Amino acid sequence: MMEANRLLDMLLEHPGQYISGEELSRRLSISRTAVWKQIAKLREEGYEFESAPRRGYRLTRQPDKLSHAGLLHALQGAQMFGKRLKLLDSTPSTQEEVRRLAEEGAPHGTLVLAEEQTAGRGRQGRRWYSPPGKGVWMSLLLRPDRQPLSIAPQLTLLTAVAVCRAIRKVTGVDVGIKWPNDILARGRKLCGIIVESAAEDELIRYAVAGIGIDVNLAASDIPPELEAIATSLLIESGQRIDRTSLIGAVVKELEQLYALYFQEGFAPIGHLWEALSVTLGREIIVHTPNGVLQGTATGLDSSGALLLMDQNGQHFTIFSGEVQLGG
């Protein structure tokens, strides 16, 4: 598919324009017949083209279905993340697939995507509804070098910042982060994030960042039990979102923030998280392992834990819990 990918890149760089078969042949160093064969391969992946004598080919439509060629184009500019890419039609869980690959020695930045998850899950083992062709269901392998297990929550917040920034850039939808890692629009959830780590001697062997984004789900696609709390980018923006472009933006944001994190520590990530938060300054109820707390969310501490002040002025540091937003 290498020649097909290069041909697609050329056509994507000139949207709506014809490129002659002769020009494609010259730039790819292949025959005109080989150009036609590569066009045919791309058509099999769902791309649509117009061809005209003496004018050549132009791309008229990209497939709704994710493709290796489209993803590789969208991931251009990423240095390590997504260089090993696995795309599945259906899988029980991209998270479990990456864990398996990690144990087999897969490299840092390995990315697995699926059109559908049959057993997708979120935090605390909850099921994550992942219908075919409507969302972004992906997991990314991270291999931080000799880092303590205690940084894992910071990687979760980092991932939330990257996803939130990418969604805003690509769609314009006004999304924000509910601590620690839910992405909300108008108070309803459209993305869940889970970062799971494998450790040895209190050092992270690897971490797997799982991301599920409800992209092109219509209101009728959302299960009745989730109608009051879930939404999608299609519902919020009123238009279909190109999933491939969104994936490219998420992966590149993740790579940039990951590099920033290991250059400058958590502080700049924490500031970015606070700027995108829909939790801070709000009255919240937090269900923690030690009981229920209620008060105002005031910030993050240096580890990424949530700071809360109750009505008596007492301060609490929350390392894990379920947040319920109030006024």
Side-chain angles (χ1 to χ4, degrees):
M1 283 295 291
M2 184 64 69
E3 288 174 343
N5 293 340
R6 290 172 58 207
L7 187 151
L8 179 62
D9 285 344
M10 292 168 61
L11 293 166
L12 287 168
E13 287 166 4
H14 299 85
Q17 299 178 27
Y18 283 97
I19 302 180
S20 70
E22 181 179 357
E23 176 71 3
L24 293 169
S25 172
R26 182 185 67 78
R27 291 173 61 180
L28 294 170
S29 300
I30 59 177
S31 68
R32 296 279 293 276
T33 300
V35 168
W36 180 86
K37 288 181 178 178
Q38 300 310 316
I39 291 285
K41 285 183 181 179
L42 290 169
R43 282 190 168 123
E44 289 175 3
E45 288 203 24
Y47 292 91
E48 295 180 10
F49 303 90
E50 285 182 357
S51 58
R54 293 185 297 279
R55 300 184 72 185
Y57 302 92
R58 72 173 179 178
L59 180 64
T60 57
R61 188 176 180 215
Q62 298 184 55
D64 285 339
K65 188 172 182 180
L66 299 174
S67 71
H68 273 279
L71 288 166
L72 288 173
H73 178 80
L75 292 170
Q76 283 183 342
Q79 300 302 309
M80 297 183 71
F81 288 8
K83 290 303 178 187
R84 180 174 179 185
L85 174 66
K86 187 169 186 178
L87 175 59
L88 304 168
D89 280 334
S90 180
T91 187
S93 165
T94 60
Q95 200 77 348
E96 295 308 315
E97 181 67 18
V98 171
R99 288 173 72 96
R100 182 183 68 77
L101 293 173
E103 295 293 346
E104 294 174 358
H108 174 68
T110 295
L111 178 64
V112 173
L113 298 116
E115 286 286 3
E116 173 190 34
Q117 292 184 122
T118 57
R121 57 187 173 80
R123 293 175 66 223
Q124 300 185 344
R126 295 192 185 99
R127 179 171 180 262
W128 183 266
Y129 179 60
S130 316
K134 298 292 183 75
V136 168
W137 325 124
M138 61 185 269
S139 294
L140 179 72
L141 175 60
L142 303 172
R143 291 192 181 274
D145 185 28
R146 297 193 61 79
Q147 294 295 317
L149 185 59
S150 58
I151 75 160
Q154 296 178 351
L155 295 178
T156 299
L157 298 174
L158 183 157
T159 303
V161 171
V163 174
C164 192
R165 283 162 60 97
I167 289 173
R168 285 176 164 229
K169 285 181 180 178
V170 172
T171 72
V173 175
D174 184 18
V175 292
I177 309 169
K178 186 183 84 169
W179 188 85
N181 54 7
D182 287 345
I183 309 297
L184 308 185
R186 294 187 302 122
R188 296 188 179 193
K189 184 172 177 177
L190 57 74
C191 171
I193 292 162
I194 179 171
V195 177
E196 297 174 307
S197 302
E200 187 174 338
D201 298 329
E202 292 301 308
L203 296 176
I204 295 177
R205 290 175 52 224
Y206 63 83
V208 183
I211 299 165
I213 308 173
D214 292 337
V215 182
N216 290 322
L217 281 74
S220 58
D221 292 321
I222 296 176
E225 65 271 20
L226 301 177
E227 285 177 355
I229 57 173
T231 186
S232 74
L233 293 173
L234 170 63
I235 293 169
E236 297 302 320
S237 69
Q239 58 188 3
R240 294 185 65 80
I241 303 300
D242 183 76
R243 292 184 296 150
T244 299
S245 297
L246 181 58
I247 290 164
V250 168
V251 171
K252 285 184 274 195
E253 283 282 346
L254 268 168
E255 186 171 84
Q256 291 168 11
L257 292 178
Y258 189 83
L260 176 66
Y261 175 68
F262 284 105
Q263 288 166 4
E264 300 186 25
F266 178 68
I269 305 299
H271 293 320
L272 289 171
W273 188 96
E274 289 178 341
L276 294 167
S277 171
V278 296
T279 307
L280 301 187
R282 299 273 295 271
E283 285 292 316
I284 61 171
I285 298 171
V286 191
H287 298 266
T288 78
N290 299 317
V292 178
L293 294 171
Q294 185 169 356
T296 302
T298 59
L300 298 178
D301 77 357
S302 59
S303 74
L306 184 65
L307 302 175
L308 179 142
M309 182 178 69
D310 72 9
Q311 59 185 5
N312 298 318
Q314 187 173 354
H315 294 270
F316 297 88
T317 302
I318 300 164
F319 294 96
S320 66
E322 287 291 310
V323 170
Q324 184 179 333
L325 297 177

